[in-house]
Amino acid sequence: MQNLERLLNQNDHRPYPAYKALKGRYRFPRYILSIDHVQGDPFAAPSSLSLRIEKAVHGFPAEYYTEPHRRIMLQDLLLREFSRELSKCSHRAKGSGKSGTFSVSRCGQEVLERSALTIEPASGTITVRFSAGFPAAGRTTLAMELKKMLFDYVPAAVEHSLLSRALPKGKAEKWIALADDQREVRDQLSKAGLVAFVADGAILPRKSGVDDTPMASAVPFESPAEDRVTLELPKGRSISGLGIKKGITLIVGGGYHGKSTLLKALERGVYDHIPGDGREYVLTEDSAMKIRSEDGRSVKKLDISAFIRNLPNGKDTVSFSTEDASGSTSQASNTIEAILAGSRTLLIDEDTSATNFMVRDALMQSVIHPEQEPIVPFLGRMEELYRDRGISTILVAGSSGAFFHVADRILQMKEYKPLDITELAKTAAARDAGNAAGDKVEAAVGDAGNAAGDAGDSAAGGRKQNSERRLSDLRDMRIPVKNTELLDARRVKVRGSGTDSISINHESVELRFVEQVVDHEQANLLGLLLRTLEEDFFDGRTSLPDCIGQLYQRLQKQGFGAIHGDSIPGNLAMIRKQELYAMVNRYRALKLR
């Protein structure tokens, strides 16, 4: 600390590059401060700093961070506390440009593992990464202003946020208890035959489209008695709510009654949420993937023949490629890719789907002969997905009753509350199809020429079509090779643009419709993972699933160090393997053997 003070005194009112001499590590009473990168001028990206706080100093008990779910929750809490304290000091130091600014990750409602604050499980050491704008007047250093930042503001922020005694009484315990509850519910989902759980009393609506905090006047969620389950929580407690079973679940209802709001909560339910969010106990099995249409996306040598066949231009759908996918071919691709990424649940909203991909009604089939239609509707594959691959579907539908025939359960959202109308809807569907017994309609037509006139086949949406292309046989055998043009560049630059896209050099990857990328720091990590795949894994011999699987194993084992070694930036958040697959599949510069 004394060395740093001496350097600051020596380099006051000197040309801005004099700050470069500060790079290094300095011991303070509570922590070690590391100045990892010094900005080139006061208008450049701020300087990168980090702190290391030992277990004996911070005082949090080991049981709070030895288990992953507890550690991630504690990291999240401490990062929020430190961010709040540090933001109070931002811009208090004088200067031009970015002088005096402090910045650290700003967490959303989801609990994500972030590089901005990590805890080493074995030693208990806390590492915090943040940035600071080193003060200057023009291009002249204001080292005494920087001295205030490093010797007054940062120590105060640490003292009031990162030490166990600084937190309000019981706050850490409350967050850790919630982490235990969420882990316990997740562990019970599969055992109970569920893909998702929505607790009674949950607040699902959000304040606005740009504010993810809970809506103050929202109607609390109340599960229908027929679908209410009770799950065990630690310490002999229990919780009740809607249990969505494996299989095919249909969510219907009038406009503005909460269908899409429920689906959005389930979509975000793959992540844990913070206390007070309202969705703390909205939990979806962790591989669930939101599927939608995505006009204009890139597709590379993907087998979509289970859904798209006999294109009029003769284009191969067993190894389908396009730089400008249509609504139906993009949704078929998204579905196949989710299956290949290991998703066990598909989440679909009819409003964001390609209508001709989802269903063809009886009248259309009577006018357009099935042999002239290249699309096998998703409706005709839903049962096969569950029967042959164990993949469940949760579908929001507002305009077509054709899905009633194949759904295992049907929930109607009415004034933001779900009602189980399975029996009612099945009876109506059977009556409409001419089947008074109410059994599921089966495709029983032997002659394809008579299929359009058969009510059963119309309800099944073309289940018979292309039956030889079974989803159970689907495999990803694509083999990527290095993009040498990209790697030959003098420097491979990776940038993120919010959650909308990432770029690697001048190659952009669109992520706007990968809706479970919820934080820009996840996109930052995806960009770095793409660069790592190009540099270390795309060798022309290893299949794409193996490349992604090996990288993801490294990421789980080494954490953020799997990408940067010891030089870890403080702006990364962990992602699932599903989003990694989704990003690679949208990479237009992907080269396949």
Side-chain angles (χ1 to χ4, degrees):
M1 189 173 72
Q2 288 75 21
N3 288 339
L4 178 58
E5 185 174 23
R6 176 177 53 80
L7 287 170
L8 288 169
N9 291 333
Q10 290 175 355
N11 288 289
D12 191 29
H13 288 87
R14 295 188 62 192
Y16 200 87
Y19 274 144
K20 297 286 185 182
L22 303 181
K23 187 174 180 180
R25 302 175 70 193
Y26 306 92
R27 181 174 293 279
F28 279 64
R30 301 286 188 200
Y31 53 81
I32 294 175
L33 169 69
S34 178
I35 300 176
D36 302 311
H37 168 74
V38 177
Q39 63 202 93
D41 64 68
F43 298 92
S47 302
S48 299
L49 293 80
S50 59
L51 304 171
R52 286 176 59 84
I53 308 173
E54 301 301 325
K55 174 184 175 180
V57 175
H58 63 67
F60 290 101
E63 59 264 28
Y64 281 13
Y65 51 79
T66 49
E67 294 184 72
H69 70 281
R70 287 182 157 207
R71 174 177 54 81
I72 293 169
M73 183 65 88
L74 180 60
Q75 290 172 175
D76 185 272
L77 169 60
L78 295 181
L79 181 56
R80 292 171 194 271
E81 297 287 322
F82 183 68
S83 177
R84 186 183 66 250
E85 290 297 324
L86 203 61
S87 66
K88 296 176 183 177
C89 309
S90 198
H91 295 289
R92 285 173 59 183
K94 301 173 183 177
S96 53
K98 294 183 170 64
S99 294
T101 60
F102 282 114
S103 59
V104 65
S105 290
R106 298 182 65 86
C107 304
Q109 298 298 101
E110 287 78 22
V111 178
L112 302 176
E113 185 167 11
R114 298 176 185 270
S115 62
L117 192 149
T118 58
I119 303 175
E120 171 55 46
S123 66
T125 300
I126 295 175
T127 300
V128 190
R129 300 176 179 90
F130 61 103
S131 62
F134 285 7
R139 291 187 56 79
T140 300
T141 64
L142 294 177
M144 294 303 99
E145 293 298 309
L146 179 57
K147 184 176 178 179
K148 293 179 188 177
M149 296 173 68
L150 301 182
F151 282 76
D152 296 336
Y153 305 155
V154 171
V158 170
E159 197 74 26
H160 291 106
S161 62
L162 298 180
L163 309 183
S164 62
R165 65 174 181 271
L167 298 185
K169 183 175 176 59
K171 187 168 187 177
E173 290 80 359
K174 176 183 176 182
W175 285 56
I176 293 296
L178 176 58
D180 287 343
D181 286 353
Q182 291 168 337
R183 179 52 48 196
E184 184 64 28
V185 172
R186 289 192 186 281
D187 287 345
Q188 291 180 64
L189 286 180
S190 183
K191 298 173 187 175
L194 305 177
V195 295
F197 174 79
V198 185
D200 290 333
I203 301 298
L204 306 188
R206 298 294 92 188
K207 190 172 183 179
S208 73
V210 294
D211 188 339
D212 201 38
T213 56
M215 181 184 290
S217 59
V219 176
F221 188 84
E222 183 180 342
S223 60
E226 301 93 328
D227 301 285
R228 184 172 296 135
V229 299
T230 299
L231 300 178
E232 300 303 316
L233 295 178
K235 299 181 180 178
R237 296 174 298 126
S238 62
I239 188 168
S240 297
L242 170 66
I244 299 182
K245 297 178 181 178
K246 297 177 181 179
I248 300 171
T249 298
L250 194 62
I251 302 172
V252 300
Y256 305 101
H257 279 261
K259 303 186 304 296
S260 295
T261 299
L262 174 56
L263 190 73
K264 177 63 73 172
L266 295 172
E267 169 191 322
R268 295 293 184 96
V270 298
Y271 302 111
D272 290 340
H273 288 81
I274 62 172
D277 173 76
R279 300 168 296 182
E280 299 97 314
Y281 296 99
V282 180
L283 300 162
T284 307
E285 65 88 6
D286 58 12
S287 73
M289 192 74 176
K290 174 71 183 300
I291 304 297
R292 58 169 296 158
S293 66
E294 191 176 346
D295 287 30
R297 64 154 290 189
S298 168
V299 181
K300 300 281 187 178
K301 295 185 178 180
L302 189 68
D303 184 356
I304 62 171
S305 60
F307 293 106
I308 310 291
R309 57 167 196 173
N310 305 329
L311 289 174
N313 57 10
K315 202 162 191 176
D316 183 9
T317 61
V318 175
S319 181
F320 180 74
S321 296
T322 182
E323 291 299 315
D324 187 22
S326 66
S328 56
T329 57
S330 66
Q331 193 160 355
S333 299
N334 292 345
T335 304
I336 294 297
E337 289 165 355
I339 295 169
L340 294 173
S343 294
R344 300 184 298 277
T345 306
L346 304 182
L347 308 173
I348 304 174
D349 193 330
E350 192 180 50
D351 285 350
T352 57
S353 295
T355 302
N356 60 345
F357 173 78
M358 295 301 297
V359 63
R360 291 177 69 231
D361 63 25
L363 179 58
M364 184 60 71
Q365 291 192 60
S366 69
V367 174
I368 305 298
H369 193 281
E371 292 303 318
Q372 297 173 337
E373 174 54 68
I375 302 173
V376 179
F378 183 77
L379 173 59
R381 293 294 196 192
M382 295 169 77
E383 291 176 300
E384 181 187 344
L385 273 171
Y386 184 60
R387 182 185 66 244
D388 294 352
R389 298 194 75 113
I391 297 175
S392 300
T393 300
I394 301 175
L395 169 65
V396 166
S399 62
S400 177
F403 298 103
F404 289 166
H405 296 282
V406 298
D408 296 309
R409 67 208 53 82
I410 302 166
L411 301 174
Q412 178 189 354
M413 293 300 294
K414 184 177 180 181
E415 297 178 351
Y416 314 108
K417 293 185 178 181
L419 306 173
D420 191 317
I421 62 165
T422 305
E423 187 174 341
L424 174 67
K426 290 284 190 180
T427 300
R431 183 171 59 247
D432 185 62
N435 185 351
D439 293 331
K440 285 185 178 180
V441 178
E442 299 294 339
V445 179
D447 183 355
N450 295 328
D454 188 274
D457 192 48
S458 69
R463 188 181 303 126
K464 183 177 175 62
Q465 297 176 33
N466 204 28
S467 60
E468 70 278 9
R469 301 298 305 179
R470 298 188 63 82
L471 288 166
S472 58
D473 298 328
L474 185 65
R475 299 289 183 273
D476 189 353
M477 303 304 295
R478 294 175 293 172
I479 297 178
V481 298
K482 290 186 190 298
N483 187 327
T484 54
E485 295 176 8
L486 179 114
L487 295 178
D488 284 345
R490 189 164 61 96
R491 182 183 176 194
V492 180
K493 297 181 180 179
V494 177
R495 293 187 178 89
S497 178
T499 58
D500 286 349
S501 66
I502 58 170
S503 63
I504 178 165
N505 283 355
H506 299 295
E507 190 65 43
S508 180
V509 183
E510 290 292 325
L511 297 173
R512 277 186 307 142
F513 298 125
V514 184
E515 297 183 62
Q516 286 160 297
V517 176
V518 298
D519 192 286
H520 73 279
E521 294 192 346
Q522 290 179 308
N524 292 341
L525 178 61
L526 285 171
L528 296 176
L529 291 172
L530 178 56
R531 184 176 69 184
T532 303
L533 284 168
E534 280 282 15
E535 292 175 343
D536 299 345
F537 290 90
F538 290 171
D539 56 10
R541 300 184 304 274
T542 308
S543 71
L544 184 59
D546 285 345
C547 289
I548 292 174
Q550 290 169 20
L551 174 58
Y552 202 73
Q553 284 180 0
R554 181 200 287 185
L555 185 65
Q556 290 181 307
K557 184 177 180 180
Q558 301 179 22
F560 298 107
I563 309 303
H564 267 274
D566 293 333
S567 178
I568 300 173
N571 64 347
L572 307 178
M574 198 59 72
I575 50 88
R576 303 181 304 160
K577 187 166 67 172
Q578 280 73 22
E579 279 69 58
L580 178 53
Y581 260 104
M583 179 269 297
V584 174
N585 282 317
R586 286 159 179 77
Y587 176 40
R588 292 180 183 273
L590 178 66
K591 294 186 178 299
L592 299 169
R593 197 176 71 188

